[in-house]
Every structure is written in structure tokens, then in C-alpha cells.
Amino acid sequence: MDTVQKVLVVDDSGFFRRRIIDIIEKDSRFTVVGFAANGLEAIAKTKLLNPDIITMDQEMPGMDGIAATKAILAIRSIPILMLSSLTFQGARTTLDALEAGVVDFLPKNSEHSPSSTTLDFALIQKLEQLIHSRPKLNFTNYASMANQRISSFTATNSAYKDSEKIQPSISSRKIQKTTNNFHPQIIVIGASTGGPIAVQRIAESLSKPCNVPILIVQHMPALFTGPYALRLGSRCELPVQEAKDGEFLQAGHVYVAPGGKQLKLNTHGKKISIEEDESQLYRPSVDETLLSANDHYAGAVLAIILTGMGSDGRVGAQKLREKGSKILIQDEASCVVFGMPQAVMKVGAYDEILSLEDIGERICAFYKN
């Protein structure tokens, strides 16, 4: 970063707010230009201070973080990091926030408590990622979605309603459904930052012609993947569940890798194996699942690498392609962060680059020939 990035800190807890400010101010690349104790103050401070990034508390009096996010994104395009509670309800609310336009989130769990030094690294890492990826973010889409949904705020109508579906305004080309001889026996979808909503868009377009098991590997904390699977299940025609150790794969079912562990396959690729693996940076890891799928379905895996920071999925994609499997990657224009698809693209381990809008249709096309 060549210039100091301005951060607005929003949190109703004075103690936690002070802790967040202290962490940020220790890094010379960032400066805190102001703080707010609730959503209404956050909106006013955004207009006044013009920050480059916002850290947003989830639960606040008066106006909560989701309502504030929608209102801010209707005013201007800005990356927002949600600080969320690591509970079942907290996970559901965080998913609502991601759909409202929050770019990423950081759990407020015991490990990331105000007194924990772990929070220092985690927070700065998140800020680095968001600022670094800022030119790639679909801010126009977020602002457009917010404008469609913002109405006058009331305490009883501030939260996002699960029945609503916000459709992305991503420009897309029409897929040419070419016939081919490739019929995948298993599908693996990998994603990180920006992935929860990207995967959801794909899930909404999947239908019963996709009659093979589908594995989803999304970088996400342990207590978040269960609620995430439930949400996907409410949006997808196919059955969706969090993957369980020892469970046999079923055709036409979608399995979400549990957070904090690795999803692999055994018994000739017919059974799920959920493993502890402290040696890996990402848990779950896209690479680990792809490599395991390659062991059992060499030449018959369809891998989709979506938006995300880093290069997880690159090694697995290379190994898959060596055996004749197919790899689709999300294009830069529709990514929140182009890192993971770009890593695969740079080593040439892909077959097609598609917009998010096109990927679901392309998956189903493999089973219509």
C-alpha cells in the first residue's frame, strides 16, 4: 500500500472499540479516522470522514450492522468487515450481512477476544486483504443491491428477510452449450473471500440433471458451516447438508465441508472422511479435497474455483488436469477477490473462464448431453 488507509471503527462496546483502534493504529499502513457506537452514527461518520474501509459490529442498539451496511452501500462503495459473534444465531446473521454486501467477516470468539493477541494478526490480515483486493470488488453491484432493498429504517424491519433473494447485476455472456464426451462423476466447488454468496448463486441454479455428488469447500469457521448448509438448502433444488464423517456419498446431493477440518474421500471414493489436520493453513482446504477426489475419480472430476484470496486450489487443479478432469474458474469481473482463480489461471490449470452468472448453467450442461 502506498498511502495510509483510513478506517472507520463501528462497535457499541467502548472496550472492544478501543481494542480494535489500538490494533489498527499499531500498523503504519492504517489510521483510524473515527469511530461510531451504532449504525446511525456509522452512516453519518461515513459521509463526514470518507473512510477507505469500515469495521462493523453486528449487534448494536438503534440500528444494527446489517441495516447500516445496506444504507452505507447505498451512499458509496466501500469494503466493510463485519465483526460477528461465533454462535449459531451469530452465524446466520453474518450470512445475512454477507448477502447485504459485507465483503468479509471476523468472528468475535474466545480466541479473538479483546485481550487476545491472535486478534491483532487476524484483524490486520483481513484489512490487508480487503484493501489489497479493493480494485477487484464489485462495489457497483453491492450499491445497486442495497438501493433496491433500502427503505426507511424501523427497529422491527432492520434485518434481512430470508424469503428475499437479492439477484446480482453481473453482466454475462450467453453460454454456448457445446456437446462433449466429458461426464463428471463428482463436482468440487472451492471458494474463500466472497465465496458464501458466489456459491449460493450457483446453488440456486443447480437442478436435478446434476445427478452426481457435489462437494463445497468454503473457507469458513467451524460453527458457520452448519448454518451455511441450511441456508444453501433453502435456496437449492438439490438436498444440501454439512458433510459428516463416514457418510456415503449420494448422487444429486450437496455436501458442505465442515469448518476447521478437512473433507476427503475413502472407500473407493464412495464415503466421506472428515479429518483433523493442523498442518494445513486452510481448514477446510480446497487443495486437500481436490487431491482426494483425484485419487478416486481421476479424469472424472469437475472442479470449480471461485472468488477468494490466496492460491488454495491451484495444486489440486494442476493434478486434476494432468489426469483429464475439467476445471472451471470464475472470471475477474464477477469475483470479489480474483486471487484463487488467478492462481489457477497463471499455471494454465483450467478449461474455461466463466462469469458467476454462467457457472451454474455450465455445470448442468454437462448432464444434458
Side-chain angles (χ1 to χ4, degrees):
M1 297 178 221
D2 296 326
T3 60
V4 176
Q5 305 297 310
K6 299 180 295 182
V7 184
L8 174 66
V9 175
V10 183
D11 201 296
D12 68 327
S13 166
F15 179 60
F16 200 85
R17 193 167 60 236
R18 184 68 257 169
R19 180 75 176 101
I20 294 296
I21 292 172
D22 287 344
I23 293 172
I24 296 172
E25 290 288 2
K26 288 178 183 177
D27 194 305
S28 61
R29 296 168 295 179
F30 303 97
T31 185
V32 176
V33 293
F35 63 85
N38 59 56
L40 290 173
E41 286 185 20
I43 296 168
K45 290 292 181 68
T46 299
K47 294 177 180 178
L48 177 66
L49 301 172
N50 195 33
D52 298 308
I53 190 168
I54 297 173
T55 68
M56 181 74 72
D57 191 17
Q58 191 177 80
E59 300 178 4
M60 296 179 291
M63 176 183 276
D64 64 17
I66 295 177
T69 292
K70 291 180 179 180
I72 288 169
L73 293 177
I75 297 167
R76 59 163 293 206
S77 300
I78 183 170
I80 298 176
L81 175 69
M82 180 71 72
L83 299 177
S84 58
S85 60
L86 195 58
T87 64
F88 183 86
Q89 183 56 45
R92 290 186 60 183
T93 306
T94 300
L95 294 172
D96 291 341
L98 289 168
E99 193 152 13
V102 164
V103 176
D104 205 352
F105 66 95
L106 181 63
K108 279 184 174 180
N109 59 356
S110 57
E111 182 183 19
H112 294 155
S113 64
S115 61
S116 172
T117 56
T118 307
L119 178 62
D120 299 45
F121 173 78
L123 177 59
I124 294 300
Q125 183 184 52
K126 292 288 188 182
L127 294 178
E128 286 176 343
Q129 291 177 352
L130 294 187
I131 294 298
H132 176 72
S133 65
R134 190 177 180 194
K136 312 301 182 186
L137 301 177
N138 295 309
F139 292 126
T140 302
N141 294 336
Y142 290 144
S144 174
M145 289 188 287
N147 274 317
Q148 293 171 15
R149 293 289 181 252
I150 289 295
S151 58
S152 58
F153 173 80
T154 64
T156 59
N157 195 36
S158 61
Y160 168 78
K161 297 177 182 178
D162 280 342
S163 60
E164 293 181 333
K165 291 186 180 180
I166 302 175
Q167 298 298 330
S169 57
I170 300 170
S171 61
S172 171
R173 62 177 177 77
K174 181 67 176 176
I175 289 181
Q176 300 299 318
K177 296 181 182 178
T178 57
T179 58
N180 57 63
N181 296 321
F182 182 69
H183 298 284
Q185 296 178 26
I186 192 168
I187 298 170
V188 182
I189 302 173
S192 186
T193 308
I197 300 305
V199 172
Q200 181 177 307
R201 300 294 174 233
I202 294 172
E204 289 171 352
S205 64
L206 295 178
S207 57
K208 291 182 179 179
C210 303
N211 59 346
V212 299
I214 300 173
L215 310 180
I216 294 174
V217 184
Q218 167 67 54
H219 295 167
M220 191 175 279
L223 291 182
F224 282 68
T225 47
Y228 183 53
L230 289 174
R231 174 164 300 212
L232 289 180
S234 70
R235 312 295 176 87
C236 182
E237 183 178 325
L238 305 177
V240 182
Q241 65 190 76
E242 186 178 36
K244 296 179 175 58
D245 185 54
E247 186 172 19
F248 281 94
L249 293 174
Q250 297 186 60
H253 284 235
V254 180
Y255 302 89
V256 177
K261 300 180 181 180
Q262 302 296 359
L263 191 164
K264 299 182 181 180
L265 303 174
N266 59 27
T267 314
H268 306 294
K270 304 300 182 183
K271 186 185 289 187
I272 293 171
S273 177
I274 303 299
E275 303 178 6
E276 302 282 352
D277 187 357
E278 297 296 328
S279 67
Q280 295 294 324
L281 174 62
Y282 300 112
R283 299 186 296 273
S285 163
V286 179
D287 276 327
E288 289 296 310
T289 301
L290 291 179
L291 292 171
S292 181
N294 193 44
D295 288 340
H296 300 284
Y297 295 94
V301 181
L302 175 61
I304 298 98
I305 307 299
L306 302 177
T307 174
M309 184 68 68
S311 60
D312 189 24
R314 178 184 61 196
V315 173
Q318 287 177 292
K319 296 297 183 182
L320 284 171
R321 204 154 186 271
E322 288 173 3
K323 298 294 185 179
S325 290
K326 302 294 184 184
I327 295 90
L328 312 180
I329 62 175
Q330 186 179 350
D331 70 0
E332 184 174 7
S334 65
C335 278
V336 171
V337 182
F338 192 47
M340 285 171 54
Q342 184 179 50
V344 174
M345 183 183 71
K346 283 183 175 180
V347 296
Y350 69 97
D351 294 276
E352 295 182 64
I353 302 177
L354 299 169
S355 75
L356 177 60
E357 184 177 349
D358 288 339
I359 291 174
E361 183 181 350
R362 186 69 185 98
I363 292 171
C364 293
F366 281 104
Y367 302 95
K368 295 178 180 178
N369 297 324

